[in-house]
Amino acid sequence: MDKDMTEVLKKAEVLIEALPYIQRFNRKVIVVKYGGSAMSNEELQKNVIKDVTLLKLVGFKPIIVHGGGKEISRWVGKVGKEAEFVNGLRVTDEETMEIAEMVLSKVNKSLVTMVQELGVRAVGISGKDAGLLKVDRKYSDGRDIGFVGDIKEVNPDLLYDLLEKDFLPIVAPIGLDDNFQTYNINADDAACAIAKAVHAEKLAFLTDIEGIYKDINDKTSFMSRMKASEADKLIEDGFIGGGMLPKLANCTSAIRNGVNRVHILDGRIPHCLLLEIFTYHGVGTAILHDDDQNNDMPV
Protein backbone atom coordinates (compact mmCIF):
# COMPACT_ATOMS: atom_id res chain seq x y z
CA MET A 1 0.00 0.00 0.00
CA ASP A 2 1.50 3.35 -1.00
CA LYS A 3 2.05 6.19 1.42
CA ASP A 4 -0.78 8.35 0.04
CA MET A 5 -3.36 5.59 0.53
CA THR A 6 -2.11 4.97 4.09
CA GLU A 7 -2.67 8.65 4.91
CA VAL A 8 -6.16 8.53 3.43
CA LEU A 9 -7.05 5.46 5.52
CA LYS A 10 -5.76 7.18 8.68
CA LYS A 11 -8.13 10.07 7.98
CA ALA A 12 -10.98 7.60 7.54
CA GLU A 13 -10.15 5.98 10.89
CA VAL A 14 -10.32 9.38 12.60
CA LEU A 15 -13.76 9.99 11.12
CA ILE A 16 -15.00 6.56 12.21
CA GLU A 17 -13.66 7.14 15.75
CA ALA A 18 -15.72 10.33 15.90
CA LEU A 19 -18.98 8.60 14.92
CA PRO A 20 -20.14 7.37 18.38
CA TYR A 21 -19.45 10.80 19.87
CA ILE A 22 -21.48 12.52 17.16
CA GLN A 23 -24.34 10.06 17.74
CA ARG A 24 -24.26 10.43 21.52
CA PHE A 25 -24.16 14.22 21.64
CA ASN A 26 -26.41 15.08 18.71
CA ARG A 27 -28.69 18.02 19.61
CA LYS A 28 -26.99 18.43 23.00
CA VAL A 29 -25.89 21.85 24.29
CA ILE A 30 -22.19 22.52 24.84
CA VAL A 31 -20.96 25.76 26.42
CA VAL A 32 -17.45 26.79 25.41
CA LYS A 33 -15.64 29.35 27.54
CA TYR A 34 -13.10 30.96 25.23
CA GLY A 35 -10.27 33.10 26.53
CA GLY A 36 -6.59 33.17 27.39
CA SER A 37 -3.72 33.06 24.90
CA ALA A 38 -5.86 31.36 22.25
CA MET A 39 -7.70 34.68 21.86
CA SER A 40 -4.56 36.73 21.24
CA ASN A 41 -3.11 34.42 18.56
CA GLU A 42 -4.89 34.84 15.23
CA GLU A 43 -4.18 31.31 14.00
CA LEU A 44 -5.36 29.69 17.25
CA GLN A 45 -8.41 31.94 17.22
CA LYS A 46 -9.37 30.69 13.78
CA ASN A 47 -8.83 27.08 14.88
CA VAL A 48 -11.16 27.49 17.88
CA ILE A 49 -13.86 29.03 15.74
CA LYS A 50 -13.48 26.25 13.17
CA ASP A 51 -13.83 23.68 15.97
CA VAL A 52 -17.01 25.24 17.36
CA THR A 53 -18.46 25.67 13.87
CA LEU A 54 -17.80 22.02 13.10
CA LEU A 55 -19.52 21.00 16.34
CA LYS A 56 -22.53 23.03 15.22
CA LEU A 57 -22.58 21.48 11.76
CA VAL A 58 -22.45 17.89 13.06
CA GLY A 59 -25.42 18.39 15.38
CA PHE A 60 -24.21 19.97 18.63
CA LYS A 61 -25.81 23.15 19.98
CA PRO A 62 -22.78 25.24 21.00
CA ILE A 63 -22.82 28.48 22.97
CA ILE A 64 -19.60 30.52 23.17
CA VAL A 65 -18.91 32.64 26.25
CA HIS A 66 -15.79 34.71 25.67
CA GLY A 67 -13.39 36.77 27.71
CA GLY A 68 -11.08 39.54 26.58
CA GLY A 69 -8.98 40.34 29.63
CA LYS A 70 -5.66 40.82 27.85
CA GLU A 71 -7.21 43.15 25.29
CA ILE A 72 -8.96 45.10 28.04
CA SER A 73 -5.64 45.53 29.88
CA ARG A 74 -4.01 46.75 26.66
CA TRP A 75 -6.67 49.43 26.19
CA VAL A 76 -6.57 50.40 29.87
CA GLY A 77 -2.83 51.00 29.40
CA LYS A 78 -3.51 53.14 26.32
CA VAL A 79 -5.45 55.66 28.43
CA GLY A 80 -2.65 55.83 30.97
CA LYS A 81 -4.17 53.60 33.62
CA GLU A 82 -2.61 50.53 35.19
CA ALA A 83 -4.59 47.30 35.40
CA GLU A 84 -5.15 46.20 39.00
CA PHE A 85 -6.29 42.77 40.14
CA VAL A 86 -7.43 41.40 43.49
CA ASN A 87 -7.54 37.60 43.76
CA GLY A 88 -7.62 37.37 39.98
CA LEU A 89 -10.52 39.84 39.61
CA ARG A 90 -10.03 43.14 37.76
CA VAL A 91 -10.59 46.24 39.88
CA THR A 92 -13.13 48.07 37.71
CA ASP A 93 -13.85 51.75 38.17
CA GLU A 94 -16.32 53.63 35.95
CA GLU A 95 -13.75 54.43 33.23
CA THR A 96 -12.42 50.87 33.18
CA MET A 97 -15.99 49.56 32.91
CA GLU A 98 -16.54 51.69 29.81
CA ILE A 99 -13.33 50.36 28.28
CA ALA A 100 -14.21 46.76 29.15
CA GLU A 101 -17.65 47.01 27.53
CA MET A 102 -16.15 48.61 24.41
CA VAL A 103 -13.47 45.95 24.07
CA LEU A 104 -15.78 43.00 24.79
CA SER A 105 -18.28 44.29 22.24
CA LYS A 106 -15.51 44.54 19.63
CA VAL A 107 -14.28 41.02 20.43
CA ASN A 108 -17.85 39.71 20.34
CA LYS A 109 -18.61 41.01 16.85
CA SER A 110 -15.23 39.83 15.59
CA LEU A 111 -16.10 36.27 16.68
CA VAL A 112 -19.54 36.58 15.07
CA THR A 113 -17.88 37.56 11.80
CA MET A 114 -15.46 34.63 11.92
CA VAL A 115 -18.28 32.13 12.51
CA GLN A 116 -20.41 33.55 9.71
CA GLU A 117 -17.46 33.42 7.31
CA LEU A 118 -17.61 29.64 7.81
CA GLY A 119 -21.26 29.48 6.82
CA VAL A 120 -22.96 29.32 10.24
CA ARG A 121 -25.36 32.00 11.48
CA ALA A 122 -24.18 33.54 14.74
CA VAL A 123 -25.64 36.19 17.04
CA GLY A 124 -23.50 38.22 19.41
CA ILE A 125 -25.11 39.30 22.67
CA SER A 126 -24.09 40.33 26.16
CA GLY A 127 -25.57 39.42 29.51
CA LYS A 128 -27.49 42.70 29.36
CA ASP A 129 -29.68 41.48 26.49
CA ALA A 130 -33.12 40.22 27.56
CA GLY A 131 -31.95 40.14 31.18
CA LEU A 132 -29.66 37.19 30.49
CA LEU A 133 -27.28 37.86 33.40
CA LYS A 134 -28.49 39.68 36.51
CA VAL A 135 -25.85 40.56 39.08
CA ASP A 136 -25.07 42.03 42.45
CA ARG A 137 -21.82 43.81 43.23
CA LYS A 138 -19.03 41.32 43.88
CA TYR A 139 -16.62 41.77 46.77
CA SER A 140 -13.22 40.15 47.12
CA ASP A 141 -12.41 39.23 50.71
CA GLY A 142 -14.70 42.06 51.78
CA ARG A 143 -13.05 44.62 49.51
CA ASP A 144 -15.11 46.69 47.06
CA ILE A 145 -13.46 46.18 43.66
CA GLY A 146 -15.86 48.36 41.68
CA PHE A 147 -18.16 47.34 38.88
CA VAL A 148 -17.52 43.61 39.05
CA GLY A 149 -20.66 41.50 38.96
CA ASP A 150 -21.59 38.49 41.04
CA ILE A 151 -24.23 36.57 39.05
CA LYS A 152 -27.42 36.03 41.01
CA GLU A 153 -29.81 35.02 38.22
CA VAL A 154 -29.66 33.71 34.65
CA ASN A 155 -32.62 34.08 32.29
CA PRO A 156 -31.79 31.70 29.41
CA ASP A 157 -34.93 32.36 27.33
CA LEU A 158 -33.01 34.32 24.68
CA LEU A 159 -30.41 31.55 24.39
CA TYR A 160 -33.12 28.92 23.95
CA ASP A 161 -34.77 31.04 21.27
CA LEU A 162 -31.51 31.47 19.37
CA LEU A 163 -30.66 27.77 19.57
CA GLU A 164 -34.16 26.84 18.44
CA LYS A 165 -33.78 29.12 15.40
CA ASP A 166 -30.43 27.43 14.60
CA PHE A 167 -28.21 30.37 15.56
CA LEU A 168 -24.90 30.05 17.40
CA PRO A 169 -25.03 32.44 20.40
CA ILE A 170 -21.82 34.26 21.35
CA VAL A 171 -22.01 35.88 24.78
CA ALA A 172 -19.95 38.75 26.21
CA PRO A 173 -19.73 38.61 30.04
CA ILE A 174 -21.46 41.87 30.98
CA GLY A 175 -24.54 42.10 33.17
CA LEU A 176 -26.94 44.46 34.90
CA ASP A 177 -27.93 44.87 38.52
CA ASP A 178 -31.42 45.69 39.80
CA ASN A 179 -30.78 49.40 39.12
CA PHE A 180 -29.65 48.66 35.54
CA GLN A 181 -26.04 49.54 36.29
CA THR A 182 -23.55 47.79 34.01
CA TYR A 183 -21.05 45.33 35.52
CA ASN A 184 -18.09 43.38 34.17
CA ILE A 185 -18.30 39.64 34.94
CA ASN A 186 -15.54 37.08 35.15
CA ALA A 187 -15.93 35.01 31.98
CA ASP A 188 -15.45 31.70 33.83
CA ASP A 189 -18.29 32.64 36.19
CA ALA A 190 -20.51 33.61 33.26
CA ALA A 191 -19.84 30.38 31.37
CA CYS A 192 -20.49 28.27 34.44
CA ALA A 193 -23.75 30.08 35.29
CA ILE A 194 -25.01 29.81 31.71
CA ALA A 195 -24.09 26.11 31.47
CA LYS A 196 -26.08 25.41 34.65
CA ALA A 197 -29.07 27.42 33.44
CA VAL A 198 -29.35 25.63 30.08
CA HIS A 199 -28.48 22.21 31.58
CA ALA A 200 -25.59 21.85 29.17
CA GLU A 201 -24.31 18.39 28.35
CA LYS A 202 -20.77 19.77 28.41
CA LEU A 203 -18.90 22.84 29.61
CA ALA A 204 -15.44 23.31 28.08
CA PHE A 205 -12.90 25.79 29.45
CA LEU A 206 -10.18 26.77 26.97
CA THR A 207 -7.29 27.84 29.18
CA ASP A 208 -3.52 28.35 29.18
CA ILE A 209 -2.78 25.06 30.95
CA GLU A 210 -2.84 21.43 29.80
CA GLY A 211 -5.39 20.32 32.40
CA ILE A 212 -5.22 19.17 36.03
CA TYR A 213 -2.13 17.68 37.69
CA LYS A 214 -2.33 16.11 41.12
CA ASP A 215 1.14 17.59 41.64
CA ILE A 216 1.95 20.47 39.30
CA ASN A 217 5.67 19.67 39.64
CA ASP A 218 5.16 16.06 38.54
CA LYS A 219 4.18 15.80 34.88
CA THR A 220 3.35 12.09 35.33
CA SER A 221 0.51 13.04 37.70
CA PHE A 222 -1.70 14.41 34.91
CA MET A 223 -5.36 13.45 35.40
CA SER A 224 -7.24 12.95 32.13
CA ARG A 225 -10.43 12.08 34.04
CA MET A 226 -11.50 12.75 37.58
CA LYS A 227 -14.68 12.68 39.66
CA ALA A 228 -16.03 15.88 41.20
CA SER A 229 -15.20 14.58 44.69
CA GLU A 230 -11.57 14.05 43.62
CA ALA A 231 -11.43 17.67 42.48
CA ASP A 232 -12.83 18.81 45.84
CA LYS A 233 -10.19 16.72 47.63
CA LEU A 234 -7.38 18.31 45.58
CA ILE A 235 -8.65 21.75 46.56
CA GLU A 236 -9.09 20.75 50.22
CA ASP A 237 -5.58 19.27 50.41
CA GLY A 238 -4.00 22.41 48.95
CA PHE A 239 -2.85 20.93 45.64
CA ILE A 240 -4.74 23.58 43.64
CA GLY A 241 -3.87 27.26 43.85
CA GLY A 242 -3.75 30.52 41.91
CA GLY A 243 -6.17 31.08 39.08
CA MET A 244 -6.97 27.37 38.85
CA LEU A 245 -8.62 27.38 42.28
CA PRO A 246 -11.77 29.36 41.33
CA LYS A 247 -11.84 27.66 37.91
CA LEU A 248 -11.90 24.17 39.41
CA ALA A 249 -14.48 25.26 41.98
CA ASN A 250 -16.63 26.48 39.08
CA CYS A 251 -16.21 23.09 37.40
CA THR A 252 -17.43 21.08 40.39
CA SER A 253 -20.28 23.55 40.95
CA ALA A 254 -21.39 23.04 37.34
CA ILE A 255 -21.26 19.25 37.71
CA ARG A 256 -23.46 19.41 40.82
CA ASN A 257 -25.96 21.70 39.11
CA GLY A 258 -26.98 19.80 36.01
CA VAL A 259 -23.96 19.88 33.68
CA ASN A 260 -22.99 16.36 32.65
CA ARG A 261 -19.24 16.82 32.14
CA VAL A 262 -16.74 19.64 32.34
CA HIS A 263 -13.53 19.77 30.31
CA ILE A 264 -10.41 21.82 31.02
CA LEU A 265 -8.35 22.18 27.85
CA ASP A 266 -5.19 23.92 26.69
CA GLY A 267 -6.48 26.42 24.14
CA ARG A 268 -2.96 26.78 22.76
CA ILE A 269 -3.20 23.28 21.26
CA PRO A 270 -4.63 23.52 17.74
CA HIS A 271 -8.11 21.94 17.56
CA CYS A 272 -8.00 20.90 21.22
CA LEU A 273 -11.81 21.00 21.39
CA LEU A 274 -12.23 18.42 18.63
CA LEU A 275 -9.46 16.22 20.03
CA GLU A 276 -11.08 16.21 23.46
CA ILE A 277 -14.63 15.53 22.33
CA PHE A 278 -14.14 13.24 19.33
CA THR A 279 -11.34 10.96 20.57
CA TYR A 280 -11.42 8.44 23.41
CA HIS A 281 -8.41 9.65 25.41
CA GLY A 282 -8.78 13.36 24.69
CA VAL A 283 -6.11 15.98 25.40
CA GLY A 284 -7.30 17.67 28.61
CA THR A 285 -8.99 16.87 31.90
CA ALA A 286 -12.62 15.73 31.99
CA ILE A 287 -14.48 16.13 35.29
CA LEU A 288 -17.33 13.68 35.87
CA HIS A 289 -20.20 13.14 38.31
CA ASP A 290 -19.28 10.89 41.22
CA ASP A 291 -21.98 8.44 40.16
CA ASP A 292 -21.00 8.51 36.46
CA GLN A 293 -20.95 4.85 35.39
CA ASN A 294 -19.82 5.58 31.83
CA ASN A 295 -16.11 5.89 32.55
CA ASP A 296 -15.36 3.63 29.60
CA MET A 297 -17.69 5.55 27.29
CA PRO A 298 -16.85 8.58 25.13
CA VAL A 299 -16.17 11.69 27.17
Side-chain angles (χ1 to χ4, degrees):
M1 186 180 295
D2 61 36
K3 182 179 179 181
D4 288 344
M5 182 54 70
T6 300
E7 290 298 317
V8 170
L9 289 175
K10 284 182 179 178
K11 291 179 181 179
E13 289 173 1
V14 171
L15 293 172
I16 292 300
E17 184 178 359
L19 179 59
Y21 304 88
I22 295 172
Q23 291 173 322
R24 181 178 178 189
F25 301 122
N26 185 260
R27 308 303 295 166
K28 299 294 178 63
V29 176
I30 175 172
V31 175
V32 178
K33 186 271 173 173
Y34 178 35
S37 297
M39 289 200 75
S40 54
N41 180 299
E42 185 177 352
E43 190 60 32
L44 287 176
Q45 192 175 60
K46 289 180 179 178
N47 286 337
V48 170
I49 295 305
K50 286 178 181 177
D51 285 6
V52 177
T53 302
L54 179 61
L55 291 176
K56 176 78 170 63
L57 291 171
V58 299
F60 281 74
K61 292 183 173 183
I63 298 170
I64 297 175
V65 179
H66 66 85
K70 292 183 179 181
E71 187 72 359
I72 293 171
S73 293
R74 187 170 74 85
W75 279 91
V76 166
K78 279 188 174 186
V79 300
K81 297 171 70 73
E82 187 172 341
E84 181 184 356
F85 294 87
V86 175
N87 296 325
L89 297 171
R90 183 186 302 275
V91 177
T92 307
D93 60 16
E94 188 171 352
E95 185 178 22
T96 302
M97 184 63 247
E98 290 181 7
I99 293 170
E101 186 165 20
M102 175 193 73
V103 170
L104 288 169
S105 178
K106 181 175 182 294
V107 169
N108 187 274
K109 297 312 177 185
S110 173
L111 295 176
V112 167
T113 301
M114 293 175 70
V115 170
Q116 296 198 151
E117 285 176 343
L118 294 172
V120 167
R121 298 188 303 167
V123 174
I125 61 175
S126 81
K128 295 168 74 170
D129 292 300
L132 174 59
L133 298 176
K134 294 183 179 180
V135 304
D136 288 325
R137 183 173 291 240
K138 191 181 188 80
Y139 294 85
S140 181
D141 294 333
R143 177 179 170 181
D144 186 350
I145 51 177
F147 297 102
V148 179
D150 186 16
I151 299 172
K152 67 174 183 176
E153 184 181 342
V154 180
N155 179 357
D157 289 350
L158 177 58
L159 294 175
Y160 285 134
D161 287 345
L162 291 172
L163 293 174
E164 181 65 28
K165 296 291 193 302
D166 206 34
F167 289 102
L168 195 164
I170 302 178
V171 184
I174 301 170
L176 294 171
D177 69 7
D178 289 339
N179 296 315
F180 301 97
Q181 170 65 52
T182 300
Y183 283 78
N184 189 24
I185 303 169
N186 177 274
D188 285 357
D189 292 348
C192 185
I194 288 171
K196 293 176 190 175
V198 299
H199 306 291
E201 179 74 16
K202 291 178 178 292
L203 168 60
F205 288 98
L206 302 188
T207 70
D208 288 345
I209 63 168
E210 298 91 343
I212 302 296
Y213 291 88
K214 186 171 184 180
D215 180 355
I216 192 62
N217 298 312
D218 179 7
K219 295 302 182 182
T220 66
S221 67
F222 184 77
M223 305 178 74
S224 61
R225 297 187 184 196
M226 61 193 304
K227 298 294 181 72
S229 60
E230 293 180 276
D232 290 335
K233 190 71 164 58
L234 287 178
I235 294 173
E236 183 183 329
D237 292 346
F239 285 103
I240 306 296
M244 182 48 65
L245 185 58
K247 192 181 298 291
L248 193 56
N250 266 328
C251 291
T252 57
S253 173
I255 288 291
R256 292 192 171 94
N257 286 275
V259 178
N260 192 35
R261 292 194 181 185
V262 179
H263 303 262
I264 298 176
L265 308 173
D266 187 346
R268 300 167 297 183
I269 299 174
H271 304 298
C272 63
L273 199 53
L274 298 185
L275 292 169
E276 176 71 6
I277 291 175
F278 290 145
T279 62
Y280 179 74
H281 293 291
V283 294
T285 297
I287 302 172
L288 293 64
H289 286 275
D290 284 356
D291 58 355
D292 193 326
Q293 301 300 316
N294 294 320
N295 201 44
D296 59 343
M297 293 290 289
V299 296

